[in-house]
Amino acid sequence: MSQRLLYESHMHTPLCKHAEGLPGEYAARAEQRGLKGIIVTCHSPMPDHFSESVRMRPDQFNEYLALIAKTADEWRGRVEVLPGMESDYFPGMESWLEKLHQRAPFHYILGSVHPQIKEYAAKYFNGDWHEFHKGYYNQLALAAETGLFDSLAHPDIVKNQGSEFWNVDTLMPDICRALDRIAKAGIAMELNTSGLLKVVKEMNPTPAIIREIQKRGIPMTLGADAHEPRRVADKYEEGLRLLQDCGFNKVSLFLNRQRQDIAISDALASLRH
Ligand SMILES: [Zn+2]
Ligand SMILES: [Zn+2]
């Protein structure tokens, strides 16, 4: 059996109120899939009741860490269970997130702009979908420039809002300007396989964007964004092949917030069904 190399690097817990299954069930699926571990990245607690119906409350943060630590003990020697976070970014959140990220020895922190959150849309949607899509890319670049995150999650998820107005060709000059800033910031971007389940049924981001990411030497991480155990490492093989088709020969992951690059050929060989 070839060596276990990969992690589920984007997964949730019931604390966010829209995911099911305990981390131990995700670890069991990870073991079946030939993964080395799981990095639990539940949605960050936020101040002022920001979208509180889809995330843990600030006072549940210790419960989150305890759940991960308990699961790590139970799976020690079989599947690594590591603490991470999917942190919501929009301008003004910098100091909240900086403090939050210091509260635990996180291995990996995803930075997410979530345009589907109604509080976000209320702030940034002015009735013009093209402007909304453009503004999302400016915010992704701002997120990268904060230095708070390791990788930017699902970096074209905005196409599911106002999808009839989404046009990647028209938007490409703005996307490329954002990618130039992201490359300069030295952060990774995520290929997220859960896009296949959304309104626009393709992984996030779309291949045309992956090629622009590759041209700029921005590393890419891989995650299934599992909100239920059976989706751990879902479509990883397809995602890795898509990265290859777009010119990548390595996929990246973060441990102790340090990037590691893995040959995609080795990553593919390590997976089990
Ligand atoms: Zn979620
Ligand atoms: Zn997300």
Side-chain angles (χ1 to χ4, degrees):
M1 186 168 161
S2 49
Q3 204 191 343
R4 293 173 182 264
L5 294 171
L6 298 180
Y7 292 73
E8 177 51 81
S9 71
H10 191 157
M11 55 156 285
H12 295 274
T13 78
L15 282 166
C16 71
K17 311 176 192 91
H18 64 276
E20 53 190 57
L22 290 167
E25 298 171 69
Y26 290 68
R29 181 65 186 140
E31 186 174 50
Q32 287 174 350
R33 287 290 270 131
L35 302 190
K36 196 169 182 183
I38 58 174
I39 307 177
V40 186
T41 54
C42 215
H43 297 282
S44 55
M46 295 292 272
D48 306 323
H49 306 285
F50 177 84
S51 75
E52 65 184 348
S53 63
V54 293
R55 64 186 66 251
M56 70 183 90
R57 295 186 312 268
D59 67 5
Q60 290 177 303
F61 185 69
N62 289 336
E63 188 185 333
Y64 174 62
L65 297 177
L67 176 63
I68 297 169
K70 174 177 162 276
T71 312
D73 282 343
E74 288 163 2
W75 284 86
R76 187 151 290 126
R78 293 169 72 190
V79 174
E80 291 177 23
V81 178
L82 306 174
M85 182 116 280
E86 180 181 10
S87 286
D88 265 78
Y89 175 78
F90 53 88
M93 276 305 101
E94 295 81 356
S95 66
W96 170 272
L97 294 177
E98 196 180 343
K99 286 189 201 96
L100 183 71
H101 297 173
Q102 285 166 0
R103 286 183 60 190
F106 288 117
H107 279 263
Y108 179 53
I109 297 184
L110 282 160
S112 288
V113 179
H114 280 134
Q116 68 271 38
I117 289 176
K118 67 178 192 309
E119 288 92 334
Y120 178 93
K123 244 178 153 148
Y124 298 108
F125 182 58
N126 66 4
D128 181 333
W129 285 112
H130 186 64
E131 285 302 313
F132 191 66
H133 293 156
K134 264 170 76 169
Y136 167 81
Y137 278 95
N138 181 48
Q139 295 214 343
L140 274 188
L142 288 171
E145 288 162 354
T146 65
L148 288 167
F149 313 110
D150 301 314
S151 184
L152 297 173
H154 41 59
D156 72 349
I157 200 170
V158 75
K159 68 189 172 189
N160 297 299
Q161 311 304 118
S163 50
E164 59 278 35
F165 299 97
W166 168 258
N167 183 327
V168 75
D169 299 325
T170 316
L171 204 62
M172 199 51 96
D174 292 281
I175 295 172
C176 286
R177 273 192 288 276
L179 293 179
D180 289 341
R181 291 165 63 192
I182 292 164
K184 207 169 160 205
I187 186 179
M189 297 177 87
E190 179 194 55
L191 178 64
N192 185 307
T193 66
S194 77
L196 293 165
L197 308 170
K198 297 197 159 73
V199 179
V200 180
K201 299 205 180 324
E202 53 180 17
M203 293 185 191
N204 306 104
T206 197
I209 300 178
I210 299 175
R211 289 192 190 94
E212 294 296 335
I213 292 171
Q214 194 274 336
K215 275 189 211 165
R216 286 162 178 77
I218 300 168
M220 286 201 84
T221 59
L222 177 66
D225 206 346
H227 285 73
E228 51 184 325
R230 69 176 179 83
R231 285 206 64 256
V232 167
D234 190 28
K235 304 284 191 294
Y236 262 28
E237 291 85 348
E238 290 87 333
L240 290 166
R241 285 191 201 102
L242 176 59
L243 289 177
Q244 279 180 327
D245 291 345
C246 294
F248 280 90
N249 53 33
K250 292 198 170 123
V251 64
S252 299
L253 57 87
F254 284 79
L255 296 171
N256 294 309
R257 305 208 61 193
Q258 299 294 311
R259 200 180 94 227
Q260 303 191 1
D261 300 329
I262 291 170
I264 291 179
S265 52
D266 293 343
L268 280 167
S270 74
L271 289 167
R272 293 286 169 270
H273 284 287

